[in-house]
Amino acid sequence: EVQLVESGGGLVQAGGSLRLSCATSGFSFDAYAIAWFRQAPGKGREGVAAMSSYDRYSFYADPLRGRFTISADNARNTMYLQMNSLKPDDTAVYYCAAADEGSGPLSWSVFDSGFWGQGTQVTVSS
């Protein structure tokens, strides 16, 4: 059974930091691309950060570059999202995802057919 379980969300003041974790099982973690998405109240889901399975190349949503960092620990089958300098606009439910990226370039849409966690709430107060 495939499982992705997020943790680390919570309430933080603007300017603070949080590190989200996503523990996975049931698939070959190091052979899958991984990503974090988020969905704010009343808005659609958006990609936050993704990492390729081939060379662990990572990319970010442009507005978040420099504040958020995605990482992976293959020995623990766990991915992380370090979030710094948080803003109230970062308030959202954050989801981790994993997908077989195939041979094409990695993109957000690759994860539409992947595995997803249940989400963790991040609330940033002003």
Side-chain angles (χ1 to χ4, degrees):
E1 179 187 7
V2 172
Q3 287 190 319
L4 289 82
V5 180
E6 299 98 337
S7 61
L11 175 64
V12 63
Q13 288 189 328
S17 298
L18 280 176
R19 189 177 82 151
L20 305 183
S21 300
C22 175
T24 76
S25 61
F27 64 99
S28 298
F29 178 77
D30 59 354
Y32 276 65
I34 58 175
W36 289 92
F37 290 78
R38 69 184 184 184
Q39 186 163 18
K43 296 185 178 181
R45 187 181 70 193
E46 64 174 348
V48 172
M51 180 177 278
S52 169
S53 64
Y54 296 120
D55 55 5
R56 288 310 190 195
Y57 166 80
S58 59
F59 64 86
Y60 299 85
D62 285 342
L64 304 177
R65 191 183 308 276
R67 292 196 297 122
F68 288 16
T69 303
I70 186 173
S71 61
D73 184 336
N74 290 340
R76 298 178 182 271
N77 293 335
T78 300
M79 67 181 88
Y80 304 95
L81 183 69
Q82 178 67 43
M83 305 185 294
N84 298 327
S85 302
L86 283 163
K87 305 174 182 179
D89 285 350
D90 295 319
T91 295
V93 178
Y94 284 72
Y95 300 90
C96 60
D100 180 354
E101 65 188 286
S103 59
L106 184 60
S107 65
W108 301 123
S109 63
V110 164
F111 298 92
D112 290 345
S113 57
F115 307 132
W116 288 79
Q118 82 289 350
T120 186
Q121 177 69 47
V122 171
T123 302
V124 184
S125 64
S126 57

